[in-house]
Amino acid sequence: MSAIEGELGILARRRIEAEIIKPIYEILVRDYGSEQAQAVIGEAVSGAAIAAGRQFAAREPEGPSLEGFVALQELWEKDDALKVEIIASDATRYDYDVHRCRYAEMYQEMGLGEIGHLLSCNRDEVFIVGYDPNVSLERTTTIMGGAARCDFRYRLKEKQS
């Protein structure tokens, strides 16, 4: 039994969060405008993502690692949330493309497509900072942003001497 077996998948978590955030976002837009509302939601979600990364790292008995992070991906893929093609995976890199994203579909269905990137995509880069600041993410395209795929390229940073 894996350490994350039985744990609520990230897609289910994001739906619950979005149901709470939606009315707050609508009030923020009404009172402060779309730009300010998105800035507030973006800041709050980014902070939560860093904290979540730290919480997941704290669960690692030998400390966070790229291999440990890869094992966590099961939570993001749970409930058929992502159709993933792994390009490369070893001790220093984890490269994959997402060809179907139910997160993007869900936010569109909920009427939150305009902030879906804030609720999910923008979390990825800051989550990894919280989880392990020695790992970086480069992503140039997302389904949420209208592309055909998301490209995730995680790298273990070289140690500074």
Side-chain angles (χ1 to χ4, degrees), residues 62-129:
E62 297 178 25
S65 66
L66 188 56
E67 292 91 347
F69 175 74
V70 171
L72 289 174
Q73 295 310 296
E74 179 182 326
L75 287 174
W76 276 262
E77 296 173 19
K78 194 171 186 174
D79 303 318
D80 196 31
L82 301 171
K83 182 179 177 195
V84 173
E85 173 191 6
I86 297 173
I87 309 296
S89 182
D90 60 36
T92 63
R93 67 184 175 155
Y94 182 49
D95 298 347
Y96 65 94
D97 289 345
V98 172
H99 296 285
R100 179 177 182 212
C101 176
R102 289 194 52 217
Y103 297 89
E105 295 167 12
M106 176 186 71
Y107 294 130
Q108 289 295 337
E109 290 166 5
M110 295 177 80
L112 292 170
E114 72 185 53
I115 62 167
H117 65 289
L118 299 173
L119 301 176
S120 281
C121 304
N122 289 6
R123 289 180 192 242
D124 299 325
E125 193 169 347
V126 292
F127 177 90
I128 198 65
V129 169

